[in-house]
Amino acid sequence: MSNKSKAGIGTLTGVSIVVANMIGAGAFTSLGFQLESLSNTAVILSLWILGGIVALAGAFSYAEIGTMIKKSGGEYTFLSRIYHPIVGYLSGWISLTVGFAAPIALSIIAFTKYLPFDIEYPKLVGITLVFIITLIHCFDLKLSSKFQNITTLLKVSFIVSIIIIGIILPEPENSAINFDKPYWIEIGSLAFAVSLIYVSYSYSGWNAAAYITEEFRNPKKSLPIALIGGTLLVTVLYTLLQFILLKHVPFSELAGKLNVGTIGIQHMLGSTAAKVFSAGISTLLISGISAMVWVGPRVTSNIAREHKLWRFFKAESNLIPQRALWLQFVLTVLLLLTGTFEQIMIYCGVLLNVSTLLVVIGVLILRHKKVDMSESFRSPLFPLFQIIFIIVSLWMIIFAFIHSPVECLLGFGNLLLGFLTLSISYRMDRPK
């Protein structure tokens, strides 16, 4: 980025980036999967609040490390500095292969489900959409930036309008609000842990601002506000949205369904309004897809600057990583053609949890080493939030292996492939 563009990024833009990356398909899809195994409304809401607290704990940790290292690149940069370049590379490999391509694929699946009309070839439509968005981001960086800022406001306004309508309208007699099943039985169940993976996916993106730390005018001020403020806002919106859906729709019509947002609007305002809101949700998903298409290749181009194996994917002279954009397009298409919604979510979620977990543990390591942090943000109530994040993340990873061992093994098989590319890269980087 040019110095001029770096100087122009402030706190509000940072919050916008975080919110734009966080609000996506998960807000309008995860509830249906949760209700297949859980029924207590308090448990469902606790699930979303806990997901927000975990994301907030991560935001505190990333703000601390980001304002100390003050380099862009997210986990790739942080883990390379805290542990070893090998750890950073493998984290970058996760971002390169699934960190962005998988969420894009998930959003594409949700996009086709939320279209207010039936389509004969949904995967073809989805692939075409990703192709068009990728093409757009290959040409005009300024237009991409404006598009993301505007759609963030539209996203928030859209969800707030649904929440307000849902609060005003009375609760029907057959709503999914239910407190019959004992709270502590469900909260300690395997289903709760696995559901937390879905919620964790829905909150993914809380660390988005850490990928562009160097582009803030004042990282010490702007990065913490962007990470923490954006996460708090989305937590409130997500929790209220799930409550509204539970309030207005019968349990049987939500459980196992992907398009719970459309179903909810249909019960609140009728079928005509549901089609309008369904189209609106699809439109908002496009902006989320665009945000990930835009940000993801920047991680790949950072790797390409340091490893000859990936040199082909360096950013062009106009600062747009066009080849990395098309690499991400190919990976997204492969995921769309080979995986289901649930498989992609678990496969992606476990790998991303491991990567972010290592960053949060890194806060404990740096504090123990007594690294000079006088100029950096310090997360409050240390080490409370770090412990919460570590415990919940380990819990999700362990239970994911128990519940979905095939998807998890595929995920860690991906890391072995990353080791292979790393060994090839080291041979290429070695002086002759």
Side-chain angles (χ1 to χ4, degrees):
M1 303 290 286
S2 67
N3 292 334
K4 182 180 178 180
S5 64
K6 290 180 182 178
I9 296 179
T11 303
L12 183 60
T13 302
V15 173
S16 175
I17 290 169
V18 171
V19 173
N21 276 270
M22 289 182 74
I23 297 179
F28 300 100
T29 55
S30 296
L31 181 62
F33 293 106
Q34 294 155 19
L35 291 176
E36 287 186 300
S37 305
L38 304 171
S39 60
N40 189 306
T41 298
V43 172
I44 296 295
L45 297 182
S46 296
L47 189 66
W48 286 88
I49 293 171
L50 178 58
I53 291 173
V54 173
L56 184 63
F60 282 136
S61 301
Y62 271 62
E64 181 163 325
I65 290 182
T67 54
M68 184 188 70
I69 295 178
K70 296 186 179 68
K71 295 290 182 182
S72 298
E75 294 85 11
Y76 172 69
T77 300
F78 297 161
L79 298 182
S80 295
R81 298 291 186 89
I82 298 170
Y83 299 97
H84 191 277
I86 291 178
V87 182
Y89 178 89
L90 291 175
S91 176
W93 170 259
I94 292 173
S95 294
L96 189 156
T97 54
V98 299
F100 292 93
I104 292 169
L106 288 169
S107 294
I108 286 293
I109 294 171
F111 166 81
T112 58
K113 292 288 185 180
Y114 270 105
L115 287 172
F117 49 84
D118 294 329
I119 50 177
E120 188 172 358
Y121 302 104
K123 288 186 178 180
L124 179 59
V125 171
I127 291 170
T128 302
L129 176 62
V130 179
F131 177 85
I132 293 171
I133 293 174
T134 302
L135 190 62
I136 291 171
H137 284 291
C138 282
F139 292 104
D140 196 340
L141 188 61
K142 185 177 180 181
L143 178 62
S144 299
S145 180
K146 288 183 178 179
F147 178 75
Q148 290 305 145
N149 285 332
I150 292 171
T151 52
T152 300
L153 177 60
L154 292 175
K155 277 184 176 184
V156 173
S157 301
F158 182 78
I159 294 178
V160 168
S161 67
I162 294 176
I163 292 170
I164 292 174
I165 291 170
I167 290 173
I168 293 174
L169 293 176
E171 177 186 346
E173 293 182 1
N174 60 343
S175 75
I177 299 291
N178 174 31
F179 298 96
D180 292 339
K181 195 162 185 179
Y183 178 83
W184 292 110
I185 290 179
E186 285 202 343
I187 206 95
S189 67
L190 171 63
F192 183 87
V194 174
S195 294
L196 196 54
I197 294 176
Y198 291 113
V199 171
S200 176
Y201 161 72
S202 300
Y203 279 102
S204 64
W206 53 263
N207 55 349
Y211 291 98
I212 56 167
T213 303
E214 295 173 83
E215 298 177 23
F216 286 107
R217 287 193 299 267
N218 184 352
K220 182 179 179 181
K221 172 189 173 185
S222 298
L223 185 62
I225 295 176
L227 293 169
I228 298 165
T231 302
L232 282 172
L233 175 60
V234 173
T235 299
V236 173
L237 293 176
Y238 274 4
T239 305
L240 289 175
L241 180 62
Q242 309 314 309
F243 173 75
I244 293 303
L245 293 174
L246 291 170
K247 176 184 174 183
H248 289 281
V249 186
F251 183 91
S252 61
E253 294 188 35
L254 287 175
K257 302 297 193 302
L258 187 65
N259 58 333
V260 292
T262 300
I263 296 170
I265 296 300
Q266 185 169 354
H267 277 268
M268 285 190 282
L269 299 174
S271 58
T272 301
K275 289 183 178 180
V276 174
F277 272 82
S278 183
I281 292 172
S282 290
T283 302
L284 294 184
L285 290 174
I286 290 176
S287 71
I289 294 166
S290 175
M292 290 181 284
V293 168
W294 182 21
V295 174
R298 271 64 186 178
V299 178
T300 306
S301 65
N302 281 337
I303 297 174
R305 287 205 302 262
E306 300 176 11
H307 295 272
K308 288 182 179 179
L309 176 63
W310 302 102
R311 197 63 50 86
F312 181 76
F313 299 104
K314 282 180 64 177
E316 306 297 326
S317 57
N318 60 358
L319 303 179
I320 297 176
Q322 294 179 353
R323 293 166 182 164
L325 278 160
W326 290 115
L327 173 64
Q328 182 173 261
F329 168 76
V330 171
L331 294 172
T332 301
V333 171
L334 288 174
L335 288 172
L336 277 172
L337 295 176
T338 58
T340 66
F341 191 97
E342 186 173 4
Q343 287 172 332
I344 295 173
M345 186 177 285
I346 294 174
Y347 173 83
C348 172
V350 170
L351 284 178
L352 294 178
N353 277 334
V354 171
S355 193
T356 54
L357 173 62
L358 289 175
V359 174
V360 174
I361 292 174
V363 177
L364 303 179
I365 294 173
L366 294 176
R367 290 278 191 119
H368 178 71
K369 290 181 177 179
K370 297 182 179 180
V371 176
D372 182 18
M373 304 181 68
S374 58
E375 294 298 319
S376 63
F377 171 86
R378 295 177 71 87
S379 55
L381 302 177
F382 177 84
L384 175 62
F385 284 107
Q386 285 71 31
I387 291 173
I388 290 173
F389 191 96
I390 292 168
I391 291 173
V392 174
S393 295
L394 288 173
W395 184 32
M396 289 192 294
I397 293 168
I398 291 170
F399 276 109
F401 264 102
I402 295 172
H403 184 266
S404 305
V406 175
E407 288 83 357
C408 293
L409 289 174
L410 284 172
F412 282 90
N414 183 42
L415 284 182
L416 292 178
L417 185 59
F419 268 113
L420 177 61
T421 64
L422 179 62
S423 64
I424 296 172
S425 178
Y426 274 165
R427 287 173 187 164
M428 294 178 66
D429 295 337
R430 189 180 302 150
K432 294 181 180 180

